[in-house]
Amino acid sequence: MAEQQTEFDAARYKNAQREQWNKDGAAWRRWSPTLDRWYGDMTRQMLDLARIQPGQRILDIAAGAGEPAVSAAERVGPGGYVLATDISEGIVELALQVARERGLQQIETRAMDGEKLDLPDASFDAVLCRLGLMYMPHPVTALREWRRALKAGGRVCVIVFSTPERNSWGAVPASIIRRRAQLPPPVPGQPGPFSLGSPGVLEGVFRQAGFANPEVSAVPVPHRTGSAAEYVQVAREAFGAFNAMMAHLPPLERESMWNEVEDSMRSFESPAGFEVPGECLVGSATK
């Protein structure tokens, strides 16, 4: 296992992530009403735990197409400041468009590696990262950088997915794709949607990075749509990791895989619609 881990190429992985989100970012924004229904409540909980107040300076890492940066900007008000960063140049451009459509001039966006911030020390009151830290090859390194950018007493708040067993929305499609594409199982210690989800892991990386008083709580995040077919459409268009797993395969084989995923996800349909289980961990700590 140690030998497998040493073969992991973090730079290549980050380049693939950048390319993926430059390609899939527009779909993520297009599905933002659905994504907000799924992730909106826990995002508001995140902002509460970060103790965001009017006039503060907030850093959002892996901001994607604008959340939670936009919600944070509404809380800090015109006298505050939010810097939304992401490894993808294309997706932060979308975030800026969203901010300007909302009339939020207090948001700035920059393409930036979350593990290596081009920012001065002690310059932000809070750091946010929604569904990004678990995809970083070196989460402790990232958190140390975020801690450096925080003022004394500043807060960090992150959201990650918990375990595959509690996130059928992702585990079921991933297992089908892995089997059909003959991909090896994920290696412990490497980035991925559930890499920080096991009990005690997130608290541990907070402490290793030097943060104090880490608190982590589990939040149910069921993924609801009108049907399994609609859910699969969201997954195909907005969840780039699934497409990346099958990118080396011919188009007909990829289509066949998605058909099998849809067939399997129909088990989560009922007369009330489609609902597949999900769970996130919301973690916070103090510098």
Side-chain angles (χ1 to χ4, degrees):
M1 187 175 294
E3 182 179 348
Q4 284 181 290
Q5 289 183 3
T6 59
E7 295 175 356
F8 180 74
D9 188 332
R12 181 178 178 184
Y13 168 83
K14 287 182 181 181
N15 284 333
Q17 288 276 300
R18 182 182 296 108
E19 291 174 6
Q20 171 192 312
W21 285 110
N22 279 338
K23 181 169 69 73
D24 296 332
W28 186 264
R29 182 187 176 187
R30 187 167 61 251
W31 285 104
S32 60
T34 297
L35 298 169
D36 186 59
R37 287 199 302 273
W38 295 348
Y39 305 132
D41 286 345
M42 72 175 185
T43 300
R44 288 180 280 276
Q45 181 176 336
M46 175 191 216
L47 300 181
D48 292 341
L49 287 169
R51 300 173 190 168
I52 294 176
Q53 303 293 328
Q56 285 185 329
R57 292 174 54 85
I58 310 299
L59 174 62
D60 184 10
I61 306 286
E67 283 293 352
V70 167
S71 293
E74 291 172 345
R75 292 204 184 192
V76 300
Y81 171 76
V82 175
L83 176 60
T85 68
D86 198 283
I87 199 168
S88 160
E89 304 88 348
I91 207 166
V92 290
E93 289 181 11
L94 295 174
L96 187 61
Q97 290 176 20
V98 173
R100 295 300 179 257
E101 287 169 5
R102 300 275 190 93
L104 298 169
Q105 299 299 317
Q106 61 269 37
I107 291 187
E108 180 185 352
T109 61
R110 289 176 63 184
M112 194 177 300
D113 185 338
E115 295 184 351
K116 189 176 182 181
L117 303 180
D118 182 18
L119 296 169
D121 295 354
S123 50
F124 291 91
D125 296 290
V127 176
L128 308 173
C129 184
R130 189 186 81 167
L131 303 177
L133 182 62
M134 66 275 196
Y135 293 115
M136 296 185 185
H138 311 104
V140 174
T141 298
L143 283 164
R144 285 175 178 154
E145 273 289 272
W146 307 355
R147 187 177 183 277
R148 177 185 65 77
L150 276 172
K151 300 175 184 177
R155 300 276 289 172
V156 62
C157 194
V158 307
I159 295 175
V160 301
F161 294 114
S162 62
T163 58
E165 296 77 17
R166 295 182 175 273
N167 286 279
S168 299
W169 66 267
V172 171
S175 66
I176 292 170
I177 295 168
R178 283 189 184 281
R179 172 175 54 79
R180 294 279 301 266
Q182 299 183 349
L183 298 173
V187 176
Q190 290 186 2
F194 311 118
S195 61
L196 299 177
S198 296
V201 173
L202 188 55
E203 293 96 327
V205 295
F206 276 140
R207 293 190 189 280
Q208 288 179 62
F211 282 99
N213 305 316
E215 297 180 5
V216 176
S217 59
V219 179
V221 187
H223 290 46
R224 300 185 180 101
T225 61
S227 65
E230 183 182 346
Y231 172 77
V232 169
Q233 186 180 0
V234 178
R236 290 186 68 153
E237 295 181 12
F239 294 170
F242 291 147
N243 289 316
M245 291 171 69
M246 58 175 82
H248 62 290
L249 298 171
L252 286 176
E253 179 67 11
R254 296 200 298 268
E255 192 66 28
S256 174
M257 282 188 193
W258 281 118
N259 288 338
E260 183 175 344
V261 168
E262 184 175 330
D263 288 342
S264 182
M265 299 304 277
R266 286 200 186 100
S267 64
F268 300 103
E269 285 185 333
S270 75
F274 174 87
E275 179 176 324
V276 60
E279 182 183 79
C280 287
L281 303 179
V282 182
S284 60
T286 305
K287 180 174 178 178

